[in-house]
Amino acid sequence: MALRMWASSTANALKLSSSASKSHLLPAFSISRCFSSVLEGLKYANSHEWVKHEGSVATIGISDHAQDHLGEVVFVELPEEKSSVSKEKNFGAVESVKATSEIISPISGEVIEVNTKLADSPGLINSSPYEEGWMIKVKPSNPAELESLMGSKEYTKFCEEEDAAH
């Protein structure tokens, strides 16, 4: 952890970002001032959820920035498979040692899969928010809703401005 923070702060001070992938499955990432990673190739909501759209499936989770502000996640409430989610409506909750926060859907659609690992290991949201900590997979009912979400550069700027205001 100390090494990650040192590397992050050094990269930030030097205004560096990496275009290398974290793994062969993930898009490139950049480091923001808040030591959180923001992945390229994902879309982000101003409520700090991310969407990875692949074919007819959209995977949704909360961003590294969000989990960092929440602190240690101890419980996750998610919807049932085959239920519907609506853009900008609550679909679950994340409870941390600091607070309980609603999870807002960035898009509308039918839930086709729920990450059941989170029931026993909610900390996956902290340790791996973009990989093992995903929350739901949705079949989007209106893929055009993705266009209203932020890209990685816009989201990084949004987070920096939000943090500066607090």
Side-chain angles (χ1 to χ4, degrees):
M1 179 68 159
L3 180 60
R4 178 178 178 219
M5 290 189 70
W6 174 84
S8 294
S9 63
T10 301
N12 187 44
L14 297 173
K15 299 185 187 276
L16 298 176
S17 66
S18 172
S19 59
S21 294
K22 288 177 86 173
S23 77
H24 69 284
L25 298 175
L26 290 178
F29 69 97
S30 62
I31 299 171
S32 73
R33 292 190 140 149
C34 59
F35 306 121
S36 301
S37 62
V38 176
L39 300 184
E40 293 180 16
L42 301 182
K43 294 288 196 167
Y44 297 88
N46 60 6
S47 53
H48 301 286
E49 292 80 18
W50 57 265
V51 180
K52 182 178 185 180
H53 189 228
E54 297 177 301
S56 64
V57 177
T59 304
I60 299 172
I62 65 168
S63 70
D64 191 34
H65 181 81
Q67 72 76 26
D68 186 51
H69 282 272
L70 281 170
E72 181 185 352
V73 176
V74 295
F75 179 76
V76 182
E77 179 185 333
L78 297 172
E80 298 289 324
E81 286 183 18
K82 298 183 181 177
S83 63
S84 294
V85 294
S86 298
K87 181 180 171 95
E88 300 177 352
K89 300 290 183 190
N90 174 2
F91 74 78
V94 175
E95 185 178 329
S96 72
V97 294
K98 293 181 181 179
T100 299
S101 299
E102 291 184 336
I103 309 164
I104 309 298
S105 186
I107 60 172
S108 302
E110 178 187 349
V111 178
I112 58 172
E113 189 176 347
V114 175
N115 187 350
T116 57
K117 290 182 186 178
L118 296 179
D120 293 327
S121 302
L124 290 172
I125 291 171
N126 298 113
S127 62
S128 184
Y130 300 114
E131 295 172 338
E132 295 181 56
W134 63 272
M135 297 179 166
I136 60 174
K137 293 187 179 187
V138 172
K139 180 179 178 185
S141 57
N142 184 2
E145 290 175 337
L146 291 160
E147 301 304 317
S148 66
L149 301 174
M150 293 177 272
S152 60
K153 290 180 183 176
E154 297 151 314
Y155 181 66
T156 298
K157 183 178 179 184
F158 174 80
C159 291
E160 289 172 349
E161 290 172 354
E162 187 178 67
D163 285 351
H166 292 7

